[in-house]
Amino acid sequence: MPEVSLSSVFRRASNTICATAAAVRERWQAYERIEARGIALLSAWLSPEQRSQFEKYRRFDVVGSESGKRYRICYGTSTNVYEMDSRDRVVLGWCFRPVGFLVPGDVMLAQKIALETNERATLMVARPFPSTLPPRASHAPGG
């Protein structure tokens, strides 16, 4: 059996770590580009008031197409939609999202369109969740 030097083991390990780090960096940069496109598309569909809310709070409000209820869509991909009352308090959380692995901007746009165009059908497939916490705005768009 050939003898392996300790330096060659460290060199191979170092090369593997560097290659892994480069791959992780490339994947993260690709995700950031995709998310930026998702935020740009979402922003193009928001009303001026919604865009202002999103830029300031990472969330925006929509009005349901049938009930006229107000929903707050927060930055995220799940458990990020809240039904609000007239005093700006959370009534209930709603969990629904399109199928597939989509970035937050794309998910939020689908949620907006669903509530504003077919609220009843949307809530029939959504899962309610109790929420005593204020609506979250977890990650800042664009970094």
Side-chain angles (χ1 to χ4, degrees):
M1 186 180 244
E3 193 173 303
V4 179
S5 72
L6 193 54
S7 65
S8 68
V9 169
F10 283 133
R11 193 172 23 260
R12 276 193 306 244
S14 175
N15 290 341
T16 300
I17 290 169
C18 288
T20 302
V24 167
R25 184 175 48 254
E26 286 174 24
R27 288 191 82 175
W28 182 253
Q29 289 170 340
Y31 177 84
E32 285 180 325
R33 286 189 301 274
I34 294 166
E35 174 57 359
R37 286 194 309 260
I39 294 296
L41 180 62
L42 170 65
S43 186
W45 277 74
L46 296 177
S47 70
E49 182 181 349
Q50 289 170 329
R51 193 173 305 108
S52 175
Q53 290 173 340
F54 185 69
E55 289 169 358
K56 189 171 184 179
Y57 303 112
R58 296 181 300 238
R59 60 171 170 73
F60 57 90
D61 294 348
V62 301
V63 176
S65 59
E66 283 96 7
S67 71
K69 291 179 180 177
R70 187 166 50 99
Y71 299 92
R72 183 159 290 161
I73 300 175
C74 298
Y75 186 86
T77 59
S78 64
T79 62
N80 64 314
V81 178
Y82 300 87
E83 185 178 321
M84 307 301 290
D85 69 12
S86 62
R87 295 176 64 191
D88 213 32
R89 293 178 303 194
V90 174
V91 174
L92 189 63
W94 290 98
C95 186
F96 63 97
R97 55 171 287 137
V99 175
F101 298 103
L102 301 173
V103 293
D106 292 340
V107 171
M108 294 170 69
L109 177 56
Q111 292 167 329
K112 167 190 167 51
I113 293 170
L115 287 169
E116 290 179 337
T117 61
N118 200 343
E119 176 188 17
R120 188 175 327 154
T122 299
L123 295 182
M124 287 178 68
V125 299
R127 298 208 178 215
F129 64 93
S131 182
T132 57
L133 300 174
R136 64 189 166 92
S138 54
H139 301 77

